[in-house]
Amino acid sequence: MQLRRFLTGLTAAAVAALVSVSAGATTRIAAPGFDYVIGGAGVNALICSGKVLSQSPASVTFPNSTRALPAVEYTIECSKILKGNKDYPASETPATIKVKMYAGEMKDFPRPVVGEEGLHIFYGKSVVGLTSYAFGSQGVYIYKEVDGRKVAVSPAGKGLFFKNTAIRDKFMKVNPNASKFLRKGPIVDEGFDTPELASEEDLTPEVLESAVRTVLSVEGR
């Protein structure tokens, strides 16, 4: 709970601490399953499938202060918004969103890449209007063409693992042929799979989006 509050409500002191992280320190945050990534993103999370159109310099200002932080604003054209918030409601129709991330270096925290398409799982905005991918690399899946088919590839490793077996069982009920997309354990070794833990096949965007919907339905969001 304290970790979630830190990430979803950055204060001036927290940002200062984040900026001062040494180059040798790691900022990776591990989640024990895909269901925890979705749930841990928070009630104000933004989850969408879409293509990154552009990035541009920006800034954010602390409440009741003139202090500003450098940021980068990303524009993403979403084919659908699976989990919305007050700024961008959930929708099955195309929509364009804008998110801001801190412009400074943060080890192991990925950023949207212009031209790439994928599933984006963002934390809710902080008090200064910034966000990041939920649980670092576990919050983004890139859609790529592999052997003539579109697959969803995560920098954090191959396949899905559900910590909550009830959610896993519901997912399998909706997707009875999806066992080949499941891994046998959570992310390990600095966030990367070992061969025996990886799934048999790369995820498809459709299966990945179904997994998001399954978790959200169980959590009542």
Side-chain angles (χ1 to χ4, degrees), residues 14 19 21 30 40 47 49 56 65 67 79 89-90 110 115 125 140 148 155 161 168 175 182 187 194 217:
V19 173
V21 172
I47 305 175
S49 282
S56 59
S65 171
R67 184 186 177 194
S79 58
K125 289 194 299 186
V140 58
F161 176 76
R168 179 202 62 198
N175 303 275
L182 298 181
I187 292 172
T194 54
S217 69

Side-chain angles (χ1 to χ4, degrees), residues 34-169:
F34 185 73
D35 44 334
Y36 273 64
V37 175
I38 301 297
V43 296
N44 295 315
L46 183 60
I47 305 175
C48 75
S49 282
K51 183 176 182 179
V52 184
L53 296 182
S54 65
Q55 68 176 61
S56 59
S59 64
V60 294
T61 305
F62 288 98
N64 304 315
S65 171
T66 58
R67 184 186 177 194
L69 284 173
V72 179
E73 183 175 75
Y74 299 91
T75 301
I76 303 175
E77 185 177 52
C78 301
S79 58
K80 62 196 70 172
I81 298 178
L82 301 170
K83 166 73 177 68
N85 52 35
K86 65 181 181 64
D87 296 319
Y88 302 106
S91 174
E92 290 296 316
T93 59
T96 300
I97 68 169
K98 294 180 182 292
V99 296
K100 290 182 180 180
M101 292 186 175
Y102 174 60
E105 290 300 319
M106 294 187 293
K107 184 177 174 61
D108 292 334
F109 273 77
R111 301 177 186 274
V113 176
V114 175
E116 284 190 342
E117 181 185 5
L119 178 76
H120 308 272
I121 307 171
F122 294 112
Y123 285 115
K125 289 194 299 186
S126 71
V127 294
V128 296
L130 295 174
T131 188
S132 65
Y133 280 118
F135 297 91
S137 60
Q138 297 176 66
V140 58
Y141 289 76
I142 305 303
Y143 297 162
K144 297 182 178 181
E145 292 289 333
V146 177
D147 297 329
R149 58 193 287 267
K150 183 180 285 189
V151 299
V153 180
S154 169
K158 186 176 177 181
L160 289 174
F161 176 76
F162 297 94
K163 178 69 172 177
N164 186 322
T165 57
I167 294 179
R168 179 202 62 198
D169 293 345

Side-chain angles (χ1 to χ4, degrees), residues 168-205:
R168 179 202 62 198
D169 293 345
K170 183 172 183 180
F171 169 74
M172 289 302 300
K173 187 175 182 180
V174 176
N175 303 275
N177 298 316
S179 60
K180 60 189 175 183
F181 300 119
L182 298 181
R183 69 210 284 151
K184 298 177 183 178
I187 292 172
V188 294
D189 274 347
E190 293 272 319
F192 296 95
D193 282 308
T194 54
E196 65 270 22
L197 294 178
S199 62
E200 298 175 18
E201 192 171 314
D202 285 314
L203 290 162
T204 66

